[in-house]
Amino acid sequence: MIRLITREEAFKRAERIKKENEAIYGVPFELEHRYLPLDVLIPTQWELSEKKLVVVLQEIVHGYDAPVIVLEHRGKYYILDGHHRAYARKKLGFSQIEAIILRPIKEIPTKIEESVKKAKLKSLDDIVIAKE
């Protein structure tokens, strides 16, 4: 059974990710809640489940609205949680998505840029849908 995260769980997850990153990097992070254009999001996952994507597409059509969680790093927005939600909204013709943005208060030495370059990920269009 595929279970989707609720809005409340997304906000709790963002708080947990914030605390984890603060512990890892020793730098405070701030959270911002706003809408972002889908075309500025950079995926950090190259493959999505077709089964889950079908469920997410159906639920979005019926009002499902859990925000994605992104890391803002050097002016770019990397998806940490919510790849299926972002991809589905793009496929349904939406131009924006509700996001919880994690932002370190100063520069951190993350490898996220290297990871997405290696995986050749620049936009949601670079994601592959895996049939199970």
Side-chain angles (χ1 to χ4, degrees):
M1 184 177 114
I2 295 171
R3 185 187 167 289
L4 303 181
I5 187 173
T6 65
R7 285 185 65 75
E8 295 76 23
E9 289 169 332
F11 283 95
K12 286 178 185 171
R13 188 174 288 176
E15 280 293 337
R16 191 188 78 236
I17 294 169
K18 175 184 181 282
K19 287 179 181 146
E20 289 169 356
N21 277 279
E22 287 173 340
I24 291 167
Y25 296 107
V27 171
F29 279 66
E30 52 191 19
L31 290 179
E32 182 183 356
H33 177 214
R34 67 180 164 103
Y35 280 81
L36 289 174
L38 284 162
D39 61 2
V40 303
L41 300 181
I42 300 171
T44 57
Q45 182 179 327
W46 68 276
E47 185 177 85
L48 300 180
S49 157
E50 182 183 49
K51 283 182 185 175
K52 183 173 180 181
L53 182 60
V54 168
V55 172
V56 173
L57 284 162
Q58 291 170 344
E59 292 301 316
I60 287 173
V61 167
H62 292 100
Y64 178 59
D65 65 349
V68 296
I69 302 169
V70 301
L71 171 68
E72 183 180 340
H73 180 67
R74 296 184 180 163
K76 295 184 179 175
Y77 298 94
Y78 298 91
I79 303 172
L80 300 178
D81 186 77
H83 286 81
H84 286 85
R85 296 187 297 272
Y87 190 90
R89 284 185 67 89
K90 183 170 176 73
K91 290 301 169 198
L92 289 168
F94 290 88
S95 62
Q96 295 188 333
I97 192 163
E98 184 180 8
I100 303 168
I101 303 162
L102 276 82
R103 184 181 305 112
I105 64 159
K106 67 179 190 178
E107 187 75 24
I108 58 169
T110 180
K111 303 258 190 235
I112 202 160
E113 291 167 307
E114 290 173 38
S115 296
V116 298
K117 274 184 191 167
K118 272 186 197 169
K120 295 182 172 70
L121 296 170
K122 293 181 184 149
S123 75
L124 292 169
D125 296 324
D126 297 325
I127 293 176
V128 173
I129 306 305
K131 297 183 187 292
E132 289 105 47

